mmCIF file of all heavy atoms in Angstrom:
data_model
loop_
_atom_site.group_PDB
_atom_site.id
_atom_site.type_symbol
_atom_site.label_atom_id
_atom_site.label_comp_id
_atom_site.label_asym_id
_atom_site.label_seq_id
_atom_site.Cartn_x
_atom_site.Cartn_y
_atom_site.Cartn_z
ATOM 1 N N TRP A 236 84.870 171.610 70.722
ATOM 2 C CA TRP A 236 84.142 172.928 70.929
ATOM 3 C C TRP A 236 82.646 172.906 70.631
ATOM 4 O O TRP A 236 81.924 173.460 71.373
ATOM 5 C CB TRP A 236 84.902 173.919 69.853
ATOM 6 C CG TRP A 236 84.048 175.258 69.739
ATOM 7 C CD1 TRP A 236 83.253 175.553 68.683
ATOM 8 C CD2 TRP A 236 84.033 176.292 70.617
ATOM 9 N NE1 TRP A 236 82.727 176.775 68.850
ATOM 10 C CE2 TRP A 236 83.220 177.249 70.032
ATOM 11 C CE3 TRP A 236 84.663 176.563 71.802
ATOM 12 C CZ2 TRP A 236 82.895 178.495 70.705
ATOM 13 C CZ3 TRP A 236 84.383 177.905 72.416
ATOM 14 C CH2 TRP A 236 83.424 178.730 71.875
ATOM 15 N N GLU A 237 82.264 172.142 69.599
ATOM 16 C CA GLU A 237 80.865 172.172 69.295
ATOM 17 C C GLU A 237 79.999 171.413 70.184
ATOM 18 O O GLU A 237 78.762 171.451 70.056
ATOM 19 C CB GLU A 237 80.666 171.629 67.829
ATOM 20 C CG GLU A 237 81.266 170.110 67.743
ATOM 21 C CD GLU A 237 82.646 170.033 67.105
ATOM 22 O OE1 GLU A 237 83.365 170.960 67.284
ATOM 23 O OE2 GLU A 237 82.872 169.245 66.354
ATOM 24 N N ARG A 238 80.533 170.757 71.204
ATOM 25 C CA ARG A 238 79.686 170.011 72.132
ATOM 26 C C ARG A 238 79.947 170.291 73.636
ATOM 27 O O ARG A 238 79.667 169.692 74.587
ATOM 28 C CB ARG A 238 79.888 168.561 71.954
ATOM 29 C CG ARG A 238 81.353 168.053 72.221
ATOM 30 C CD ARG A 238 81.414 166.518 71.918
ATOM 31 N NE ARG A 238 81.267 166.061 70.655
ATOM 32 C CZ ARG A 238 80.178 165.492 70.073
ATOM 33 N NH1 ARG A 238 79.275 165.175 70.738
ATOM 34 N NH2 ARG A 238 80.138 165.348 68.748
ATOM 35 N N THR A 239 80.725 171.486 73.770
ATOM 36 C CA THR A 239 81.053 171.901 75.235
ATOM 37 C C THR A 239 80.636 173.151 75.629
ATOM 38 O O THR A 239 80.760 174.166 74.838
ATOM 39 C CB THR A 239 82.734 171.872 75.343
ATOM 40 O OG1 THR A 239 83.192 170.615 74.948
ATOM 41 C CG2 THR A 239 83.144 172.231 76.722
ATOM 42 N N VAL A 240 80.150 173.293 76.829
ATOM 43 C CA VAL A 240 79.833 174.624 77.452
ATOM 44 C C VAL A 240 80.839 174.727 78.606
ATOM 45 O O VAL A 240 80.952 173.894 79.425
ATOM 46 C CB VAL A 240 78.427 174.642 78.075
ATOM 47 C CG1 VAL A 240 78.159 175.872 78.932
ATOM 48 C CG2 VAL A 240 77.343 174.544 76.942
ATOM 49 N N THR A 241 81.799 175.817 78.508
ATOM 50 C CA THR A 241 82.737 176.048 79.481
ATOM 51 C C THR A 241 82.341 177.044 80.415
ATOM 52 O O THR A 241 81.885 178.155 80.020
ATOM 53 C CB THR A 241 84.077 176.407 78.837
ATOM 54 O OG1 THR A 241 84.495 175.411 78.033
ATOM 55 C CG2 THR A 241 85.211 176.553 79.872
ATOM 56 N N ILE A 242 82.392 176.775 81.721
ATOM 57 C CA ILE A 242 81.918 177.796 82.723
ATOM 58 C C ILE A 242 83.078 178.388 83.453
ATOM 59 O O ILE A 242 84.035 177.777 83.990
ATOM 60 C CB ILE A 242 80.975 177.003 83.693
ATOM 61 C CG1 ILE A 242 79.730 176.490 82.965
ATOM 62 C CG2 ILE A 242 80.667 177.756 85.030
ATOM 63 C CD1 ILE A 242 78.939 175.541 83.837
ATOM 64 N N GLY A 243 82.963 179.725 83.760
ATOM 65 C CA GLY A 243 83.877 180.536 84.506
ATOM 66 C C GLY A 243 83.289 181.347 85.624
ATOM 67 O O GLY A 243 82.081 181.442 85.616
ATOM 68 N N SER A 244 84.039 181.986 86.357
ATOM 69 C CA SER A 244 83.682 182.749 87.574
ATOM 70 C C SER A 244 84.407 183.947 87.888
ATOM 71 O O SER A 244 85.590 183.873 87.908
ATOM 72 C CB SER A 244 83.525 181.685 88.735
ATOM 73 O OG SER A 244 83.449 182.413 89.911
ATOM 74 N N VAL A 245 83.820 185.069 88.047
ATOM 75 C CA VAL A 245 84.393 186.243 88.488
ATOM 76 C C VAL A 245 84.890 186.099 89.893
ATOM 77 O O VAL A 245 85.995 186.470 90.411
ATOM 78 C CB VAL A 245 83.501 187.495 88.468
ATOM 79 C CG1 VAL A 245 84.134 188.756 89.174
ATOM 80 C CG2 VAL A 245 83.268 187.837 86.950
ATOM 81 N N GLY A 246 84.062 185.336 90.740
ATOM 82 C CA GLY A 246 84.325 185.120 92.206
ATOM 83 C C GLY A 246 85.652 184.493 92.430
ATOM 84 O O GLY A 246 86.498 184.913 93.262
ATOM 85 N N LYS A 247 85.946 183.516 91.600
ATOM 86 C CA LYS A 247 87.154 182.681 91.685
ATOM 87 C C LYS A 247 88.219 183.489 91.047
ATOM 88 O O LYS A 247 89.449 183.537 91.490
ATOM 89 C CB LYS A 247 87.014 181.312 91.067
ATOM 90 C CG LYS A 247 85.792 180.495 91.660
ATOM 91 C CD LYS A 247 85.947 180.368 93.131
ATOM 92 C CE LYS A 247 84.818 179.479 93.834
ATOM 93 N NZ LYS A 247 83.567 179.846 93.712
ATOM 94 N N THR A 248 88.034 184.045 89.866
ATOM 95 C CA THR A 248 89.128 184.748 89.070
ATOM 96 C C THR A 248 89.716 185.916 89.883
ATOM 97 O O THR A 248 90.875 186.094 89.820
ATOM 98 C CB THR A 248 88.507 185.225 87.670
ATOM 99 O OG1 THR A 248 88.150 184.129 86.895
ATOM 100 C CG2 THR A 248 89.624 186.006 86.954
ATOM 101 N N TYR A 249 88.847 186.772 90.509
ATOM 102 C CA TYR A 249 89.296 187.894 91.148
ATOM 103 C C TYR A 249 88.998 187.972 92.689
ATOM 104 O O TYR A 249 89.075 189.003 93.241
ATOM 105 C CB TYR A 249 88.603 189.251 90.518
ATOM 106 C CG TYR A 249 89.283 189.481 89.091
ATOM 107 C CD1 TYR A 249 88.456 189.528 88.030
ATOM 108 C CD2 TYR A 249 90.571 190.094 89.093
ATOM 109 C CE1 TYR A 249 89.060 189.837 86.773
ATOM 110 C CE2 TYR A 249 91.051 190.507 87.793
ATOM 111 C CZ TYR A 249 90.288 190.340 86.670
ATOM 112 O OH TYR A 249 90.848 190.760 85.518
ATOM 113 N N THR A 250 88.831 186.835 93.176
ATOM 114 C CA THR A 250 88.518 186.687 94.728
ATOM 115 C C THR A 250 87.483 187.607 95.207
ATOM 116 O O THR A 250 87.627 188.273 96.168
ATOM 117 C CB THR A 250 89.848 186.816 95.542
ATOM 118 O OG1 THR A 250 90.480 188.132 95.289
ATOM 119 C CG2 THR A 250 90.941 185.817 95.003
ATOM 120 N N VAL A 251 86.398 187.704 94.449
ATOM 121 C CA VAL A 251 85.167 188.473 94.841
ATOM 122 C C VAL A 251 83.983 187.571 94.807
ATOM 123 O O VAL A 251 83.104 187.821 94.035
ATOM 124 C CB VAL A 251 85.068 189.713 93.969
ATOM 125 C CG1 VAL A 251 86.196 190.802 94.418
ATOM 126 C CG2 VAL A 251 85.190 189.497 92.534
ATOM 127 N N THR A 252 83.906 186.630 95.754
ATOM 128 C CA THR A 252 82.729 185.645 95.652
ATOM 129 C C THR A 252 81.396 186.315 95.882
ATOM 130 O O THR A 252 80.450 185.861 95.408
ATOM 131 C CB THR A 252 83.032 184.529 96.684
ATOM 132 O OG1 THR A 252 83.128 185.072 97.923
ATOM 133 C CG2 THR A 252 84.316 183.728 96.342
ATOM 134 N N GLY A 253 81.497 187.398 96.544
ATOM 135 C CA GLY A 253 80.154 188.137 96.954
ATOM 136 C C GLY A 253 79.618 188.748 95.601
ATOM 137 O O GLY A 253 78.418 189.354 95.743
ATOM 138 N N TRP A 254 80.390 188.964 94.519
ATOM 139 C CA TRP A 254 79.885 189.665 93.349
ATOM 140 C C TRP A 254 78.968 188.769 92.496
ATOM 141 O O TRP A 254 78.194 189.263 91.751
ATOM 142 C CB TRP A 254 81.123 190.169 92.530
ATOM 143 C CG TRP A 254 81.774 191.243 93.214
ATOM 144 C CD1 TRP A 254 81.987 191.554 94.475
ATOM 145 C CD2 TRP A 254 82.481 192.324 92.503
ATOM 146 N NE1 TRP A 254 82.673 192.733 94.498
ATOM 147 C CE2 TRP A 254 82.998 193.276 93.448
ATOM 148 C CE3 TRP A 254 82.719 192.641 91.025
ATOM 149 C CZ2 TRP A 254 83.832 194.320 93.001
ATOM 150 C CZ3 TRP A 254 83.484 193.804 90.715
ATOM 151 C CH2 TRP A 254 84.061 194.589 91.795
ATOM 152 N N LYS A 255 79.063 187.532 92.716
ATOM 153 C CA LYS A 255 78.221 186.538 91.996
ATOM 154 C C LYS A 255 78.000 186.787 90.555
ATOM 155 O O LYS A 255 76.931 187.006 90.112
ATOM 156 C CB LYS A 255 76.845 186.516 92.720
ATOM 157 C CG LYS A 255 76.892 185.834 94.022
ATOM 158 C CD LYS A 255 77.375 184.440 94.025
ATOM 159 C CE LYS A 255 76.341 183.488 93.328
ATOM 160 N NZ LYS A 255 76.822 181.977 93.288
ATOM 161 N N LEU A 256 79.074 186.822 89.726
ATOM 162 C CA LEU A 256 79.122 186.862 88.331
ATOM 163 C C LEU A 256 79.792 185.645 87.737
ATOM 164 O O LEU A 256 80.913 185.231 88.212
ATOM 165 C CB LEU A 256 79.674 188.146 87.734
ATOM 166 C CG LEU A 256 78.880 189.396 87.952
ATOM 167 C CD1 LEU A 256 79.652 190.631 87.435
ATOM 168 C CD2 LEU A 256 77.539 189.299 87.211
ATOM 169 N N GLY A 257 79.168 184.976 86.825
ATOM 170 C CA GLY A 257 79.833 183.849 86.098
ATOM 171 C C GLY A 257 79.503 183.947 84.584
ATOM 172 O O GLY A 257 78.847 184.872 84.099
ATOM 173 N N TRP A 258 80.048 183.006 83.889
ATOM 174 C CA TRP A 258 79.670 182.986 82.404
ATOM 175 C C TRP A 258 79.746 181.548 81.837
ATOM 176 O O TRP A 258 80.406 180.767 82.366
ATOM 177 C CB TRP A 258 80.760 183.920 81.678
ATOM 178 C CG TRP A 258 82.135 183.622 82.012
ATOM 179 C CD1 TRP A 258 82.969 182.683 81.431
ATOM 180 C CD2 TRP A 258 82.994 184.282 83.010
ATOM 181 N NE1 TRP A 258 84.262 182.708 81.935
ATOM 182 C CE2 TRP A 258 84.208 183.711 82.833
ATOM 183 C CE3 TRP A 258 82.689 185.319 83.750
ATOM 184 C CZ2 TRP A 258 85.255 184.063 83.640
ATOM 185 C CZ3 TRP A 258 83.821 185.659 84.741
ATOM 186 C CH2 TRP A 258 85.047 185.145 84.540
ATOM 187 N N SER A 259 79.098 181.379 80.770
ATOM 188 C CA SER A 259 79.156 180.268 79.953
ATOM 189 C C SER A 259 79.676 180.562 78.605
ATOM 190 O O SER A 259 79.179 181.561 77.942
ATOM 191 C CB SER A 259 77.745 179.676 79.685
ATOM 192 O OG SER A 259 77.145 179.386 81.077
ATOM 193 N N ILE A 260 80.582 179.789 78.049
ATOM 194 C CA ILE A 260 81.194 180.065 76.727
ATOM 195 C C ILE A 260 81.044 178.729 75.911
ATOM 196 O O ILE A 260 81.348 177.669 76.431
ATOM 197 C CB ILE A 260 82.646 180.398 76.840
ATOM 198 C CG1 ILE A 260 82.734 181.810 77.619
ATOM 199 C CG2 ILE A 260 83.276 180.588 75.473
ATOM 200 C CD1 ILE A 260 84.222 182.271 77.889
ATOM 201 N N GLY A 261 80.646 178.867 74.644
ATOM 202 C CA GLY A 261 80.480 177.646 73.861
ATOM 203 C C GLY A 261 79.895 178.049 72.439
ATOM 204 O O GLY A 261 79.741 179.327 72.313
ATOM 205 N N PRO A 262 79.556 177.142 71.618
ATOM 206 C CA PRO A 262 78.973 177.343 70.323
ATOM 207 C C PRO A 262 77.540 178.045 70.342
ATOM 208 O O PRO A 262 76.819 177.704 71.242
ATOM 209 C CB PRO A 262 79.028 176.138 69.592
ATOM 210 C CG PRO A 262 78.884 175.065 70.783
ATOM 211 C CD PRO A 262 79.688 175.690 71.853
ATOM 212 N N GLN A 263 77.264 178.773 69.388
ATOM 213 C CA GLN A 263 75.968 179.523 69.268
ATOM 214 C C GLN A 263 74.753 178.473 69.622
ATOM 215 O O GLN A 263 73.846 178.740 70.293
ATOM 216 C CB GLN A 263 75.801 180.289 68.133
ATOM 217 C CG GLN A 263 74.493 180.999 68.014
ATOM 218 C CD GLN A 263 74.285 181.793 66.741
ATOM 219 O OE1 GLN A 263 75.106 181.659 65.881
ATOM 220 N NE2 GLN A 263 73.250 182.456 66.542
ATOM 221 N N HIS A 264 74.974 177.274 68.821
ATOM 222 C CA HIS A 264 73.771 176.365 68.831
ATOM 223 C C HIS A 264 73.614 175.730 70.258
ATOM 224 O O HIS A 264 72.436 175.201 70.424
ATOM 225 C CB HIS A 264 74.011 175.187 67.822
ATOM 226 C CG HIS A 264 75.195 174.293 68.133
ATOM 227 N ND1 HIS A 264 76.411 174.537 67.565
ATOM 228 C CD2 HIS A 264 75.323 173.235 68.874
ATOM 229 C CE1 HIS A 264 77.329 173.552 68.083
ATOM 230 N NE2 HIS A 264 76.633 172.721 68.831
ATOM 231 N N LEU A 265 74.503 175.941 71.143
ATOM 232 C CA LEU A 265 74.269 175.396 72.634
ATOM 233 C C LEU A 265 73.929 176.675 73.470
ATOM 234 O O LEU A 265 72.996 176.526 74.255
ATOM 235 C CB LEU A 265 75.494 174.736 73.157
ATOM 236 C CG LEU A 265 75.876 173.461 72.529
ATOM 237 C CD1 LEU A 265 77.128 172.755 73.245
ATOM 238 C CD2 LEU A 265 74.721 172.374 72.521
ATOM 239 N N ILE A 266 74.695 177.825 73.254
ATOM 240 C CA ILE A 266 74.476 178.845 74.172
ATOM 241 C C ILE A 266 73.161 179.546 74.024
ATOM 242 O O ILE A 266 72.506 180.114 75.069
ATOM 243 C CB ILE A 266 75.604 179.861 73.925
ATOM 244 C CG1 ILE A 266 76.921 179.316 74.307
ATOM 245 C CG2 ILE A 266 75.325 181.390 74.692
ATOM 246 C CD1 ILE A 266 77.133 179.026 75.730
ATOM 247 N N LYS A 267 72.507 179.371 72.861
ATOM 248 C CA LYS A 267 71.190 180.088 72.697
ATOM 249 C C LYS A 267 70.175 179.399 73.611
ATOM 250 O O LYS A 267 69.245 180.132 73.974
ATOM 251 C CB LYS A 267 70.794 179.994 71.199
ATOM 252 C CG LYS A 267 70.521 178.530 70.696
ATOM 253 C CD LYS A 267 70.115 178.469 69.200
ATOM 254 C CE LYS A 267 69.771 177.096 68.733
ATOM 255 N NZ LYS A 267 69.366 177.077 67.147
ATOM 256 N N HIS A 268 70.319 178.146 73.930
ATOM 257 C CA HIS A 268 69.371 177.498 74.745
ATOM 258 C C HIS A 268 69.495 178.078 76.185
ATOM 259 O O HIS A 268 68.507 178.171 76.935
ATOM 260 C CB HIS A 268 69.565 176.008 74.754
ATOM 261 C CG HIS A 268 69.232 175.446 73.306
ATOM 262 N ND1 HIS A 268 68.082 175.514 72.845
ATOM 263 C CD2 HIS A 268 70.023 174.733 72.520
ATOM 264 C CE1 HIS A 268 68.074 174.877 71.578
ATOM 265 N NE2 HIS A 268 69.293 174.465 71.413
ATOM 266 N N LEU A 269 70.785 178.237 76.567
ATOM 267 C CA LEU A 269 71.041 178.907 77.903
ATOM 268 C C LEU A 269 70.568 180.222 78.095
ATOM 269 O O LEU A 269 69.975 180.686 79.079
ATOM 270 C CB LEU A 269 72.501 178.887 78.227
ATOM 271 C CG LEU A 269 73.269 177.502 78.712
ATOM 272 C CD1 LEU A 269 73.149 176.404 77.672
ATOM 273 C CD2 LEU A 269 74.672 177.739 79.117
ATOM 274 N N GLN A 270 70.628 180.911 76.979
ATOM 275 C CA GLN A 270 70.182 182.352 76.916
ATOM 276 C C GLN A 270 68.589 182.403 77.119
ATOM 277 O O GLN A 270 68.091 183.286 77.728
ATOM 278 C CB GLN A 270 70.549 183.006 75.595
ATOM 279 C CG GLN A 270 72.012 183.247 75.432
ATOM 280 C CD GLN A 270 72.432 183.843 74.038
ATOM 281 O OE1 GLN A 270 71.707 183.582 73.064
ATOM 282 N NE2 GLN A 270 73.503 184.577 74.104
#
Side-chain angles (χ1 to χ4, degrees):
W236 166 259
E237 57 263 35
R238 64 180 67 252
T239 303
V240 172
T241 304
I242 293 170
S244 163
V245 171
K247 305 304 189 294
T248 299
Y249 282 113
T250 62
V251 283
T252 58
W254 288 28
K255 288 302 290 180
L256 285 178
W258 52 84
S259 304
I260 298 176
Q263 179 181 5
H264 65 265
L265 296 181
I266 295 299
K267 68 180 182 181
H268 299 295
L269 281 63
Q270 291 175 334

